[in-house]
Amino acid sequence: MRTSPITAPTPEARVEEMLARYGASDACLARLLCDDHPPEQVAFTVVEPDLTTRDISYGLLRERSERVAAGLADLDIGPGDCVGVLMGKSADLVVALLAIWRRGAVHVPLFTAFAPPSIALRLTASKAKLVIVDADQRSKLVPSPDLAADPPWRIVAVGGEGRGGDLSFADLARTEPSAGSEPAIIGGDGTFVMIFTSGTTGAPKGVRWPVRGLAHMVTYLEYGCDVRAEDKYWNVADPGWAYGLAFALVAPLAAGRRSILLHAGFTAELTWRVLAQLEVTNYAAAPTVYRALRNAPAPEGPLVLRCASSAGEPLTPDLIPWSEATLGVPVRDHYGQTELGVFIVNGWHPDIRRPMKPGSMGYALPGWMVEVLLNDADDPAPAGVLGRVAVDRKAPLMTFAGYHQAPDKTAERISADGRWYLTGDAATRDEDGAFFFSSRDDDLINMAGYRIGPFEIESVLVEHPDVAEAAVVGVPDELRGEVIEAFVVPRSGVTASDDLTTALQRLVKTRYAAHAYPRAVHYVDTLPKTPSGKIQRFLLRAQRDI
């Protein structure tokens, strides 16, 4: 008897399957990300700087995260409670996140390059009850003008000595779960992450990720990156940011795909060694990483890459022929935002793969409805006409419901008729549906894939007693895509100097983030402003180019 071959679902049908799974009212995150997978299956390969490796199975993740979750229960951490996590890439990080989600609590990502004020803002805005922190990051939580001596959150130290009053992650991991304890069920609309994204004015804004958002994460993993069961997949992005959290950790867990975690900081030399010696077949990184690899000696011998993907900032076309010659495959550009995930791709999956067009960031991912709107009306722009990138809010994979406790900022993102989410980016679209990025219209700075709001840096600069006003802009940089430069109005009687520049750079490193200091400081008499007082950063960029 002849049997018919099994036909793979269409991308649209696959999206429906995932929405039914991850959007169900009884969705349980711990089961979806861990317990439903075979216990012997490898979830992560953790790589140390000396290239020794350790495989972490779903069974081990379940056993360890159940114990830590029991410890969190003893600390009265439950559904809806926010827990900040200030940790680098490690097995302990994955265990901590799964434990948080077992309790139905909400993970608040804290980038390890952040300085104390940036950390304090996120913890305060989210009303975090607990912070889990690597021992080498613990100093960022000591009392200071930004962090009260008696904050409302407790602190759990990981992997080393804490400070007086700290709890120990190792002790939590020794807690015996209660008999019959079950992971929390928060449903598809329940929040499991609150991540913060910066804008041009005001404080960073909280974005809630619901459990049903796993559908768009897995869609991107399957169709954008074409990650298969046999792949050795490595997304190098930091889990303190959206791309790394969603696609280096969460999506592989949901899809049951083994992922590589490098327990070390980035260097081009180490990255080359991991790619070669671990025989990575599917790789994702920001363009900055590819540029750094291009500037460093490649390893001897062939690589076995099948797919290479890029996201976080525009991919310059010169990287594609280099990638084909050196990596053996072209780098395919992808586009997204913290609020939405990745939704425009030069997809790798055969069902959506198309020839790449120079300079194009790709086509709408299955499950998304994307348009370029006219600048003066909420109507689709003709092909080739520059306009605003917008997403139909009825798209199946749309999850953005608004910024946390910021209705005015949410309103700025929604079109007058309520139909469109406005990304704040400008692009064109051709007759085939390919999108071509032009610029941001909201002054966000995109440095090495990290979207940085000028307001936070400007707020730090004006803390210096010699500074009257300050504005920052992003300027092109061959390696990082953009770097930050500052325009500073000194206070009366203050003379600009190299010492002042050094002091301002140090201040930003200390008070905001080590990676986001201004590479140059320009001293000016006044800043160009609109009649309402808004800084006209486009004039500063033009002034710099004169």
Side-chain angles (χ1 to χ4, degrees):
M1 179 177 178
R2 179 176 297 178
T3 59
S4 300
I6 298 175
T7 303
T10 64
E12 293 73 21
R14 180 65 178 138
V15 167
E16 291 181 6
E17 288 178 5
M18 288 187 282
L19 285 170
R21 176 174 173 79
Y22 301 121
S25 60
D26 62 350
C28 171
L29 198 59
R31 293 177 185 144
L32 292 169
L33 299 184
C34 183
D35 302 356
D36 288 348
H37 298 300
E40 71 280 1
Q41 184 175 331
V42 174
F44 292 96
T45 296
V46 180
V47 184
E48 300 298 333
D50 63 0
L51 294 192
T52 57
T53 63
R54 179 166 61 108
D55 287 340
I56 309 296
S57 69
Y58 284 101
L60 180 61
L61 288 176
R62 177 172 185 172
E63 189 273 332
R64 290 193 62 199
S65 64
E66 284 180 336
R67 289 178 176 273
V68 176
L72 295 179
D74 290 344
L75 298 175
D76 197 31
I77 298 298
D81 291 332
C82 286
V83 179
V85 178
L86 182 59
M87 299 175 67
K89 289 173 275 191
S90 67
D92 281 340
L93 170 64
V94 182
V95 170
L97 298 186
L98 287 172
I100 291 167
W101 295 329
R102 283 188 185 282
R103 295 296 304 149
V106 178
H107 165 48
V108 180
L110 302 170
F111 184 36
T112 53
F114 277 152
S118 301
I119 294 167
L121 186 151
R122 286 155 176 81
L123 294 177
T124 301
S126 65
K127 297 183 179 179
K129 291 180 63 175
L130 191 76
V131 185
I132 304 176
V133 56
D134 280 337
D136 62 2
Q137 294 282 322
R138 177 61 179 83
S139 62
K140 295 180 179 180
L141 298 176
V142 300
S144 69
D146 305 291
L147 289 160
D150 57 344
W153 53 80
R154 301 185 70 180
I155 295 174
V156 177
V158 182
E161 292 296 325
R163 296 174 182 247
D166 285 0
L167 303 164
S168 165
F169 189 76
D171 288 344
L172 291 186
R174 285 190 285 266
T175 309
E176 286 292 338
S178 301
S181 60
E182 294 290 336
I185 294 174
I186 62 173
D189 290 329
T191 298
F192 75 105
V193 171
M194 184 187 293
I195 191 166
F196 284 78
T197 179
S198 296
T200 55
T201 59
K205 303 176 290 295
V207 177
R208 291 183 174 271
W209 288 358
V211 173
R212 60 188 170 89
L214 294 178
H216 80 69
M217 296 180 194
V218 177
T219 296
Y220 172 67
L221 199 74
E222 291 186 3
Y223 289 96
C225 299
D226 192 27
V227 177
R228 303 176 184 177
E230 65 272 17
D231 270 328
K232 293 182 179 178
Y233 169 67
W234 185 21
N235 182 318
V236 304
D238 192 284
W241 291 85
Y243 192 63
L245 176 60
F247 304 115
L249 296 183
V250 177
L253 284 170
R257 297 290 183 258
R258 181 195 298 221
S259 183
I260 292 171
L261 283 182
L262 178 61
H263 188 208
F266 171 79
T267 68
E269 189 272 338
L270 181 56
T271 301
W272 277 127
R273 290 171 60 204
V274 173
L275 286 170
Q277 295 190 36
L278 270 68
E279 297 182 325
V280 174
T281 60
N282 202 312
Y283 183 68
T288 298
V289 171
Y290 290 106
R291 286 191 285 269
L293 293 177
R294 183 178 60 182
N295 295 337
E300 296 182 2
L303 300 173
V304 294
L305 279 173
R306 185 177 63 82
C307 301
S309 303
S310 171
E313 56 178 303
L315 181 75
T316 50
D318 58 295
L319 285 172
I320 296 174
W322 166 84
S323 174
E324 289 179 307
T326 308
L327 302 179
V329 292
V331 180
R332 286 182 166 255
D333 194 17
H334 304 156
Y335 164 86
Q337 292 188 324
T338 299
E339 292 91 335
L340 307 185
V342 178
F343 57 94
I344 295 177
V345 301
N346 284 291
W348 276 104
H349 192 284
D351 286 354
I352 68 166
R353 190 186 309 169
R354 304 193 199 186
M356 288 191 296
K357 297 185 177 184
S360 172
M361 57 191 183
Y363 305 80
L365 189 68
W368 293 95
M369 298 181 289
V370 189
E371 267 293 356
V372 173
L373 302 182
L374 294 168
N375 287 319
D376 55 0
D378 294 332
D379 299 315
V385 173
L386 184 66
R388 300 166 294 157
V389 180
V391 178
D392 194 316
R393 297 175 69 202
K394 292 184 178 179
L397 294 180
M398 167 64 84
T399 61
F400 179 74
Y403 295 114
H404 176 61
Q405 296 181 346
D408 54 334
K409 295 299 180 184
T410 300
E412 293 174 5
R413 289 292 194 184
I414 308 302
S415 63
D417 61 5
R419 177 180 177 182
W420 302 101
Y421 166 86
L422 308 172
T423 65
D425 290 336
T428 60
R429 184 179 182 183
D430 69 11
E431 296 86 350
D432 297 327
F435 291 85
F436 295 79
F437 181 84
S438 174
S439 65
R440 286 170 300 281
D441 64 9
D442 58 4
D443 288 325
L444 279 176
I445 300 163
N446 196 325
M447 190 178 76
Y450 301 127
R451 293 168 69 88
I452 301 166
F455 178 80
E456 287 190 276
I457 302 173
E458 292 163 357
S459 298
V460 170
L461 289 170
V462 297
E463 291 179 7
H464 195 283
D466 290 346
V467 174
E469 288 188 291
V472 300
V473 299
V475 300
D477 179 79
E478 182 178 355
L479 178 61
R480 299 174 183 86
E482 284 186 307
V483 294
I484 296 163
E485 292 191 3
F487 290 80
V488 169
V489 179
R491 288 194 180 275
S492 177
V494 173
T495 301
S497 66
D498 291 342
D499 287 345
L500 179 56
T501 295
T502 300
L504 293 175
Q505 291 171 328
R506 186 183 304 115
L507 182 65
V508 173
K509 291 179 183 180
T510 303
R511 300 280 294 156
Y512 176 60
H515 67 294
Y517 70 93
R519 266 54 179 186
V521 177
H522 309 279
Y523 296 96
V524 295
D525 294 330
T526 60
L527 297 176
K529 298 178 182 179
T530 65
S532 63
K534 184 177 180 180
I535 296 171
Q536 295 176 302
R537 295 185 181 85
F538 72 96
L539 292 179
L540 292 175
R541 285 189 287 266
Q543 177 180 327
R544 177 189 174 275
D545 293 336
I546 294 176

